[in-house]
Amino acid sequence: MKQNDTQLPIKEMLAKYETDLQTGLNTTEVTRRNLADGDNALSEAKKPNLLQQIGKHMADIASLVLLFAVILSVYLALTTDGGWTKPIVIGSILVLNVLIGMYQEHSAEQALAALKKLSVHEIQVIRDSKKQLIDATNLVVGDIILLEPGSQVPADARLATASNLSVDEAILTGESVPVNKSAEPLTVDPEAIGDQQNMVFSGTAVTQGNATAIVTAIGMNTELGKIAGMLNKTKKQQTPLQNRLNRLVSTLSGVAIAGGVIIFLLGTLMHGDSLISSLMIGVSLAVAAVPETLPIIVTISLAHGVKKMAKRNAIMRRVSAVETIGNVNVIASDKTGTLTQNKMSITRLWATDGGVASVKQIAKLSEQQSKLVTMFGLATNAEIEVNKQDEEIEMGDSTELAIVRLMYKFGMTRDKLEINYPRLAEDPFDSSKKTMATLHKIDDQKQLLIVKGAFDRLPIKREGDIYERAKEAHDEFGREALRVLAVGYKVIEQDSTKSIEALQDEVELLGLVGMIDPPRDEVAAAISEAQGAGIRTVMITGDHVETAKAIAKKIGILCQGDSVLTGAEMKQLDDEQLAGQIADTSVFARVSPEDKIRIVSAWQSQGAVVAMTGDGVNDAPALKAANVGIAMGITGTEVSKGAADMVLTDDNFATIVAAVSEGRTVYQNILKAVEFLIGVNFAQLFLMIFSVAIGWGAPLIAEQLLLINVLADGIPGFYLSREPGERAVMKQKPISKWSSIFANGLGQRVAIRAVTFTILTLGIYALGRFGLMDNVPSIGMSMLFLVLALGSMIDIYAIKTREPLSLSSFKSNRALNMGLALAALLVLAVAIVPPLQQLFGLVTLPAVAWPIVIVAMFVPTIVLELNKQIVNRIRLNRSYQAIQED
Ligand code: ADP
Ligand code: MG
């Protein structure tokens, strides 16, 4: 079918797909086709069914060991008269474990699925005889789509018209050079995608030119869909942090299992305990000490981070970027539209016949000024329409909109001008050359060429002192932070056969305009926040140095001692020289998109993690090269969004800084979960091994260990992922992504916690068994159970804030409070309610034991808080010494 499509003339194509180039499809037909064919979307890999999900959770180490414990206890029940409580309790814990795992995974996946809906891809179509912008998922076969530079092709389509069109098809063919396309029918039947010159394919990118095309295939029927079908079978990618933590979990699981084996050997060999009961204890210990919830906590924290970033206008396109954005040391940001408001208005004007004029004060334009505005208007593509609701609808680039506004102010419109000078051709604006040109008809003999753009790039005919005078005005505008645009023209006497590109020389300068584009209000604060967080902000702009410098100073990017580089100066430097200067440079002016990639690699060669913004098609390579590529949601092209890791829905620099803060919070929450889980796990190992080794026997039985594992580790740890950020996250230097998880005191804190709990639990057990009673193990056991379970829940509050504990640490995370309260109630119920006591081998405590238990519960928290005080004191002392030495 596709082969046919390439050979048919357009008329027959339109007949075949029952559509029309001018009117497009109508709404009823679109609905009918959408119902028949479905959405234009790649279908997801099939979700595993319930049984497969259960299977998956049963297959992790903790569940397998638990299953072994269930089998063992069933065997025990059958062979001895121990009864069936043990297998039932352990079996229930196994079920609970699998259920919690499934619930957690489900909530992580839901958060991620919600995100996909946020990153919509829009496309222009003709429907009901009107041009309109629609969500690309709503496309149907037969739709007429309009493509322009920067569009991402949303479906497979046959070209109906194409002017100067080239398309990057690397995603399908691997060919990185864009291919030229035309609408002509082909004579032969091409097999390869690369040879189908009059077709465009879903997922490819328009790099140049314009086209209209008829959609021939959508969704999974497209060429991309066929590949996606294959990709669905490959495995989900994990982020670097997930990989590291998975390795950590395997190591710890090894340690846990080794601990279980040791307990088993000690029990049977040294004390001659029964084989089965030693095995039971060994297995339970292994289960309790495996930090099986850690990987899922990481996934949930990442998913939660992505959700929070979306609320703050940053859409993450790759989950791994959530981690990387927190490690960033340099943010290289575009000026126009990201640091500034992109609301340009022309305030100053300079025409060759007079001096600088302030637009506000001009009552009537002089002849030369009027000519200047006319020529600017003719060479402009933007439009402002007023709709029925009296709302202004702006179409086009903000620089050009400023020109349109100036024309309106003096009673001109582009439509009127173009009646006198119809446009014949256009050489479009491009950020590399920084000018654009249009060609107009004057009469049968004469044509008018207009070139507008950066003053130093305009091919001006130099007569008298005109250049010097213009330069003076230009620099004055620049120092006032104005963006400057120059315009020149030339009358071509005869019909020339030269192309519009070749005609652009020796134009007569008419004058300049200067426009303000005020910085965004939030930007200065965001830059200083970034600075406090050890992140350098640099400005990248196509504007002139003077303009760039003036704005950079205003918002705190250009400080004393910083230098400025222009694109021309960069060309003089080789990569090594550039790398040598990069750290001192905070403004890059008059650069083109190609220079951005060099800026990224220069920083990276200095070991920096770089975030870089971009909006155009030619920004895509730099966005890919950056550690975090950031595209603009409003002004950005679809291609730049496709290349980016993150999209700003508000185009705002401050949003990047907010995302950094969220990224760091996610990392910190994951570390807190590691600290919370691992410390107690080690304590449990030490407690059991030590106690058995000195002949006290196992101080906790299997059911108790397992219950503590589920209630006191799993539930609270899960809610740590929702912990809001601490203020201090943006007061620290970025953490290197290569640094160990245990750096920055985490290892020390884990150790302190493990030691505290080991000593505390051993002490309580001994006190209960020998101190309060005359060797009654069950009293010691019951006290130990309460202290271990409740103590490790309480000290989550000390772990979750790095700052000293305060009332606000209790208020900040309600979900955690609820989860903890529930877990604590269950623990108390098991310790107090007689039937439950019996199930878990606990006894009623004498009254004297309760005050001891309650005090002991708070000991780990107190120790951690003391440790914070000491560490802070040392840190303060060090920085004090450092100041004194300076
Ligand atoms: P930026 O990245 O800051 O937007 P650009 O590369 O887009 O910089 O623009 C650089 C210069 O090109 C501007 O200072 C202006 O002189 C000129 N320019 C910008 N937009 C247009 C346009 N639409 N037509 C002609 N010249 C333009
Ligand atoms: Mg621009």
Side-chain angles (χ1 to χ4, degrees):
M1 175 180 119
K2 195 67 56 53
Q3 270 75 3
N4 275 333
D5 287 351
T6 62
Q7 291 169 295
L8 290 178
I10 299 301
K11 238 195 194 146
E12 287 174 39
M13 279 294 294
L14 292 169
K16 176 175 170 188
Y17 288 97
E18 295 173 37
T19 184
D20 185 285
L21 272 189
Q22 261 64 51
T23 63
L25 300 170
N26 62 39
T27 315
T28 357
E29 185 58 19
V30 168
T31 316
R32 194 187 66 75
R33 292 189 189 190
N34 180 266
L35 283 177
D37 302 341
D39 280 346
N40 175 33
L42 300 180
S43 66
E44 308 281 314
K46 261 214 201 106
K47 280 236 177 83
N49 62 29
L50 197 63
L51 222 60
Q52 284 166 323
Q53 282 180 46
I54 294 175
K56 190 183 145 213
H57 286 279
M58 285 295 297
D60 69 35
I61 296 185
S63 300
L64 284 179
V65 180
L66 263 178
L67 189 65
F68 184 62
V70 173
I71 295 170
L72 213 62
S73 60
V74 169
Y75 174 78
L76 219 62
L78 290 174
T79 51
T80 66
D81 49 1
W84 285 91
T85 46
K86 221 184 216 359
I88 290 169
V89 170
I90 299 179
S92 316
I93 287 173
L94 173 64
V95 171
L96 197 61
N97 211 33
V98 170
L99 283 180
I100 289 180
M102 279 167 62
Y103 168 73
Q104 292 175 337
E105 186 148 50
H106 174 75
S107 71
E109 265 167 13
Q110 277 213 316
L112 290 176
L115 279 172
K116 287 213 182 107
K117 291 194 196 117
L118 290 173
S119 44
V120 287
H121 168 189
E122 292 187 316
I123 180 76
Q124 280 213 338
V125 294
I126 296 179
R127 282 181 181 176
D128 293 322
S129 310
K130 278 195 303 268
K131 251 196 224 179
Q132 38 192 291
L133 203 59
I134 63 158
D135 177 351
T137 43
N138 299 330
L139 274 182
V140 296
V141 169
D143 258 327
I144 306 296
I145 54 173
L146 304 174
L147 301 172
E148 56 187 18
S151 299
Q152 184 164 356
V153 181
D156 289 359
R158 163 71 196 273
L159 293 169
T161 65
S163 87
N164 202 15
L165 185 72
S166 35
V167 178
D168 177 350
E169 295 187 330
I171 187 170
L172 291 177
T173 60
E175 172 61 56
S176 59
V177 182
V179 284
N180 295 325
K181 297 269 175 181
S182 88
E184 295 304 310
L186 303 180
T187 45
V188 286
D189 192 8
E191 291 264 325
I193 291 173
D195 297 335
Q196 300 182 24
Q197 278 160 12
N198 55 12
M199 295 286 300
V200 286
F201 298 98
S202 182
T204 62
V206 177
T207 57
Q208 223 185 67
N210 294 74
T212 46
I214 309 156
V215 172
T216 58
I218 60 167
M220 293 306 282
N221 295 328
T222 61
E223 296 296 328
L224 185 69
K226 290 175 197 159
I227 304 179
M230 293 187 281
L231 288 180
N232 268 346
K233 290 180 192 100
T234 59
K235 259 193 158 176
K236 252 192 235 160
Q237 282 228 323
Q238 297 240 306
T239 72
L241 184 60
Q242 278 176 318
N243 282 330
R244 270 161 68 189
L245 282 167
N246 285 343
R247 273 199 304 268
L248 177 70
V249 169
S250 329
T251 314
L252 292 175
S253 302
V255 172
I257 289 173
V261 171
I262 292 174
I263 280 284
F264 168 69
L265 293 179
L266 280 178
T268 45
L269 300 182
M270 277 181 54
H271 304 290
D273 292 347
S274 91
L275 203 73
I276 300 287
S277 80
S278 296
L279 202 55
M280 202 65 217
I281 291 289
V283 165
S284 317
L285 181 61
V287 172
V290 169
E292 78 277 8
T293 39
L294 203 49
I296 196 79
I297 290 178
V298 177
T299 313
I300 293 170
S301 303
L302 288 170
H304 194 67
V306 170
K307 213 160 132 191
K308 271 168 71 190
M309 287 183 189
K311 272 200 198 124
R312 298 176 79 168
N313 301 322
I315 307 293
M316 306 312 283
R317 295 192 64 250
R318 267 178 273 286
V319 181
S320 59
V322 177
E323 287 167 35
T324 321
I325 191 79
N327 303 128
V328 154
N329 332 71
V330 178
I331 305 175
S333 172
D334 283 337
K335 172 180 75 68
T336 311
T338 312
L339 294 168
T340 65
Q341 299 179 1
N342 219 16
K343 287 197 194 107
M344 307 211 200
S345 66
I346 297 174
T347 55
R348 311 277 241 152
L349 193 148
W350 179 85
T352 43
D353 64 340
V356 170
S358 156
V359 169
K360 253 196 229 148
Q361 282 157 9
I362 301 176
K364 193 172 172 299
L365 294 172
S366 74
E367 199 182 315
Q368 186 77 352
Q369 285 172 337
S370 165
K371 207 166 162 187
L372 174 86
V373 178
T374 306
M375 296 287 177
F376 263 128
L378 280 169
T380 292
N381 289 321
E383 261 168 288
I384 301 174
E385 275 175 13
V386 178
N387 71 4
K388 286 190 198 110
Q389 285 83 43
D390 250 9
E391 294 160 334
E392 281 193 348
I393 301 179
E394 300 181 332
M395 278 171 299
D397 176 81
S398 53
T399 309
E400 302 213 327
L401 284 166
I403 294 174
V404 175
R405 288 234 149 75
L406 184 73
M407 288 168 65
Y408 282 4
K409 185 176 157 75
F410 295 108
M412 302 181 203
T413 66
R414 237 186 59 215
D415 295 353
K416 273 192 233 160
L417 296 180
E418 280 195 3
I419 295 173
N420 298 333
Y421 305 104
R423 197 188 276 196
L424 301 171
E426 176 187 341
D427 176 19
F429 176 75
D430 143 1
S431 280
S432 300
K433 65 181 200 303
K434 307 212 187 299
T435 59
M436 70 171 279
T438 52
L439 193 65
H440 304 262
K441 181 174 165 175
I442 300 178
D443 53 37
D444 289 341
Q445 276 94 51
K446 288 186 202 154
Q447 291 178 356
L448 170 67
L449 173 82
I450 308 174
V451 187
K452 83 178 206 295
F455 170 64
D456 44 331
R457 298 290 177 88
L458 224 58
I460 301 168
K461 183 162 75 180
R462 298 203 183 188
E463 279 173 333
D465 61 351
I466 191 130
Y467 183 82
E468 282 66 33
R469 286 198 297 133
K471 175 102 178 52
E472 222 166 88
H474 172 274
D475 289 354
E476 184 186 326
F477 286 0
R479 279 190 299 272
E480 290 169 26
L482 301 180
R483 183 173 168 95
V484 194
L485 215 60
V487 68
Y489 77 108
K490 178 170 150 181
V491 175
I492 294 146
E493 286 299 337
Q494 284 153 351
D495 245 356
S496 160
T497 49
K498 278 190 186 169
S499 70
I500 183 166
E501 285 83 7
L503 285 170
Q504 296 168 41
D505 60 355
E506 301 274 293
V507 298
E508 186 172 325
L509 182 69
L510 275 166
L512 313 168
V513 291
M515 50 187 89
I516 52 163
D517 180 15
R520 287 174 182 270
D521 297 331
E522 347 39 348
V523 151
I527 289 170
S528 90
E529 185 183 3
Q531 195 179 20
I535 301 167
R536 177 75 177 276
T537 306
V538 301
M539 174 193 277
I540 296 183
T541 179
D543 268 347
H544 192 264
V545 196
E546 293 299 334
T547 313
K549 274 196 327 210
I551 294 187
K553 267 189 206 146
K554 255 194 209 166
I555 55 182
I557 285 186
L558 188 66
C559 306
Q560 202 105 64
D562 290 353
S563 49
V564 179
L565 269 183
T566 65
E569 286 161 355
M570 271 179 68
K571 285 208 177 62
Q572 307 295 314
L573 303 173
D574 64 23
D575 289 347
E576 215 166 294
Q577 288 168 318
L578 180 64
Q581 294 189 19
I582 201 86
D584 299 323
T585 310
S586 49
V587 175
F588 297 86
R590 268 290 187 267
V591 291
S592 45
E594 297 74 42
D595 299 324
K596 285 181 157 185
I597 222 170
R598 289 190 68 206
I599 299 173
V600 170
S601 7
W603 270 113
Q604 285 172 338
S605 74
Q606 304 298 297
V609 177
V610 188
M612 160 85 74
T613 69
D615 51 12
V617 193
N618 7 6
D619 287 332
L623 294 183
K624 282 204 179 124
N627 302 78
V628 183
I630 303 170
M632 300 298 131
I634 304 169
T635 56
T637 54
E638 289 298 333
V639 170
S640 62
K641 292 180 202 170
D645 302 295
M646 174 170 147
V647 179
L648 305 181
T649 56
D650 58 358
D651 290 10
N652 189 346
F653 175 82
T655 301
I656 305 175
V657 180
V660 170
S661 155
E662 290 298 344
R664 289 184 175 191
T665 300
V666 167
Y667 184 69
Q668 212 169 55
N669 285 348
I670 290 173
L671 293 188
K672 288 172 183 173
V674 170
E675 182 178 342
F676 177 71
L677 292 174
I678 296 182
V680 171
N681 284 351
F682 271 108
Q684 286 168 346
L685 281 176
F686 294 151
L687 162 74
M688 297 293 286
I689 293 173
F690 185 80
S691 175
V692 171
I694 62 170
W696 287 354
L700 288 173
I701 60 169
E703 295 91 320
Q704 296 161 356
L705 271 173
L706 294 175
L707 191 71
I708 291 177
N709 181 49
V710 173
L711 293 182
D713 281 11
I715 294 178
F718 177 62
Y719 289 109
L720 264 182
S721 61
R722 312 240 180 129
E723 194 56 27
E726 290 189 56
R727 254 171 296 140
V729 288
M730 291 301 272
K731 302 243 156 62
Q732 295 152 356
K733 298 255 125 41
I735 293 171
S736 156
K737 60 175 179 177
W738 294 281
S739 75
S740 150
I741 297 173
F742 292 103
N744 292 315
L746 184 73
Q748 183 215 16
R749 285 195 299 272
V750 168
I752 290 179
R753 197 151 176 269
V755 170
T756 312
F757 267 103
T758 311
I759 296 174
L760 180 71
T761 49
L762 276 171
I764 283 293
Y765 182 69
L767 188 67
R769 178 168 168 180
F770 304 109
L772 298 181
M773 300 285 151
D774 184 14
N775 196 3
V776 183
S778 59
I779 294 291
M781 186 178 274
S782 299
M783 287 173 72
L784 164 59
F785 173 79
L786 281 168
V787 171
L788 183 59
L790 298 177
S792 82
M793 288 185 203
I794 294 169
D795 78 347
I796 200 169
Y797 289 101
I799 289 172
K800 82 195 189 94
T801 32
R802 293 275 186 270
E803 285 160 35
L805 205 54
S806 67
L807 200 60
S808 62
S809 357
F810 293 100
K811 287 187 192 153
S812 64
N813 187 342
R814 283 186 52 194
L816 176 74
N817 293 345
M818 305 284 278
L820 273 185
L822 183 71
L825 275 179
L826 287 171
V827 167
L828 282 175
V830 167
I832 295 171
V833 181
L836 289 176
Q837 278 179 347
Q838 272 162 24
L839 277 181
F840 286 90
L842 296 168
V843 294
T844 304
L845 290 178
V848 277
W850 281 101
I852 299 175
V853 165
I854 290 169
V855 170
M857 266 165 19
F858 290 96
V859 168
T861 307
I862 294 167
V863 171
L864 277 183
E865 286 301 312
L866 282 178
N867 180 49
K868 275 186 205 170
Q869 302 284 348
I870 294 167
V871 169
N872 279 345
R873 191 88 28 99
I874 294 173
R875 209 174 275 152
L876 272 180
N877 265 341
R878 270 203 208 125
S879 53
Y880 181 67
Q881 273 170 8
I883 291 167
Q884 293 225 310
E885 277 162 23
D886 271 353

